[in-house]
Amino acid sequence: MATSIIPWNRVEQSRRAGKTLPEGTCADDDGVETTVADLATMLLPIGGYKGHGLAALVEVMSCSLSGMAFGWHTARMYGKDVDLSKRRCLGQCYVVMRCDGAVTEEEFRKSVQQMTEEVRSEMPKAGVERVMMPGDPEIAEARHRSKDGIPLHDVLWADFTQLSEEFGVELPALL
């Protein structure tokens, strides 16, 4: 589970496109919040200091328990001095639980369904179409992309074009 507000690739996309980052998502080398992608060196956690606690728990469960690198010790994927030939050795943690330990499976399913329906039926704040559950935006985007295709940013298409020329690989036509 990513515990940052945005993923690092959003910083990279913003940097390459010359766009600013959303407020409160990144900080610079001194820990000062920034919206300037070129200055961003760290992602801020969801939920402020409580989110940092959740992030630490995720690091302990996925890294410390598995013997993998955590935090700044993880091999970087982005930047000028990145060695992509170096294995990243990312830790993982899977938690498997029985849903019928305290209630029946049917009671569990009904409770989760009720919670989901109640959350989605909440009044959205001004300017927001509807209240969504985790995964709802991704489900909607998957439907949209299945119907209309996957959008490519001009900067990314330019990268693909350059790589295709460099390696002599013909690009497919865009739809």
Side-chain angles (χ1 to χ4, degrees):
M1 174 180 143
T3 55
S4 57
I5 299 169
I6 62 171
W8 189 258
N9 71 326
R10 181 104 23 94
V11 176
E12 290 297 318
Q13 289 171 352
S14 297
R15 179 178 290 127
R16 295 171 64 210
K19 294 184 177 179
T20 59
L21 298 165
E23 296 267 343
T25 59
C26 296
D28 64 17
D29 283 334
D30 297 319
V32 177
E33 286 188 21
T34 183
T35 59
V36 180
D38 285 331
L39 298 178
T41 58
M42 61 187 90
L43 301 172
L44 296 178
I46 56 174
Y49 72 92
K50 289 185 178 184
H52 178 67
L54 179 60
L57 174 65
V58 169
E59 290 280 285
V60 167
M61 293 181 70
S62 2
C63 302
S64 298
L65 282 174
S66 66
M68 296 290 124
F70 63 90
W72 293 107
H73 305 285
T74 306
R76 294 179 22 188
M77 293 175 39
Y78 301 103
K80 296 175 184 154
D81 58 343
V82 172
D83 180 2
L84 294 178
S85 67
K86 183 178 180 181
R87 293 184 66 196
R88 297 197 64 228
C89 299
L90 301 177
Q92 298 181 33
C93 177
Y94 299 93
V95 178
V96 180
M97 293 186 247
R98 288 184 55 169
C99 63
D100 62 351
V103 297
T104 66
E105 182 179 345
E106 182 180 345
E107 290 171 312
F108 171 76
R109 288 181 184 273
K110 283 182 180 178
S111 176
V112 171
Q113 186 62 44
Q114 178 182 351
M115 178 185 68
T116 301
E117 290 169 3
E118 287 179 10
V119 168
R120 287 184 178 138
S121 69
E122 288 290 325
M123 180 68 69
K125 67 180 184 179
V128 174
E129 183 181 330
R130 63 189 173 103
V131 175
M132 293 189 275
M133 290 289 292
D136 284 350
E138 292 81 4
I139 292 167
E141 186 64 21
R143 287 183 183 137
H144 172 74
R145 289 179 175 196
S146 292
K147 180 180 173 229
D148 299 326
I150 300 172
L152 286 178
H153 192 281
D154 292 341
V155 173
L156 183 58
W157 184 250
D159 286 348
F160 285 152
T161 303
Q162 178 185 348
L163 288 169
S164 73
E165 291 169 0
E166 183 178 333
F167 292 102
V169 176
E170 186 175 338
L171 286 175
L174 291 178
L175 301 177

